[in-house]
Amino acid sequence: METDAHRQTQSLTSRLLQWCSQAWEAATETDVIGQLDDRTLAELSRDCGVSTDQLKRLANAGPHAADEMVALMLAINIDPAEVARLYPEQFRDMQVNCSLCESKDRCRHDLGEQVIDREYVRYCSNADHLKALQQEAPLLMA
């Protein structure tokens, strides 16, 4: 029979391993971007639709830097897959905004407390986009 202490240790270990894995992914991406010559970096930035500075910052932020955006969309009844399908450029721009956001701690707190639906408009740089998307019935989840 598993004790509470054993479950807590497993949970802590799982979280620690996940954090290490994410940190390794981010470090690897940052290293790759850092090794590119200026021309290649400029071409990659142009292909991605971001500045070279943004590309470096995005690589440094890591592969899950926009996870809060998807969670927020779901919390306010917007289907992220439909937005990505119908408005890929806007979706990408919103991901960039989210990835580089300085209010992540507040956003994560509000997501955890399940108050994000009424609080995000105070600090989210995507708030105007999200409000507009909420007006489009095909984007709302059933």
Side-chain angles (χ1 to χ4, degrees):
M1 185 161 165
E2 218 173 303
T3 66
D4 285 339
H6 186 255
R7 279 192 298 273
Q8 288 174 343
T9 302
Q10 282 182 322
S11 177
L12 176 61
T13 303
S14 303
R15 289 194 316 262
L16 184 58
L17 287 172
Q18 181 181 15
W19 178 83
C20 288
S21 173
Q22 289 172 347
W24 179 260
E25 283 180 58
T28 302
E29 289 175 5
T30 302
D31 290 344
V32 169
I33 295 293
Q35 293 174 3
L36 296 176
D37 61 77
D38 290 343
R39 181 174 171 226
T40 304
L41 184 61
E43 289 173 2
L44 182 58
S45 297
R46 187 176 50 253
D47 290 347
C48 293
V50 296
S51 70
T52 55
D53 179 57
Q54 284 178 317
L55 182 61
K56 290 176 184 177
R57 290 172 50 210
L58 289 168
N60 194 42
H64 301 285
D67 287 354
E68 295 85 359
M69 183 189 85
V70 171
L72 170 54
M73 291 175 105
L74 293 170
I76 61 173
N77 206 37
I78 296 173
D79 185 343
E82 277 299 293
V83 176
R85 185 178 71 79
L86 294 172
Y87 304 110
E89 290 157 0
Q90 182 179 358
F91 190 79
R92 184 213 52 229
D93 291 347
M94 291 172 61
Q95 286 180 307
V96 170
N97 285 342
C98 183
S99 295
L100 302 178
C101 180
E102 295 181 6
S103 298
K104 286 204 172 286
D105 288 340
R106 183 168 181 193
C107 183
R108 288 182 193 125
H109 173 268
D110 289 350
L111 282 163
E113 295 295 317
Q114 298 179 345
V115 296
I116 193 80
D117 58 328
R118 62 181 182 268
E119 295 296 324
Y120 79 97
V121 294
R122 300 175 195 263
Y123 56 84
C124 181
S125 60
N126 286 323
D128 290 339
H129 292 296
L130 293 167
K131 287 290 189 187
L133 292 171
Q134 282 182 305
Q135 303 306 309
E136 296 191 39
L139 300 177
L140 300 180
M141 297 183 333

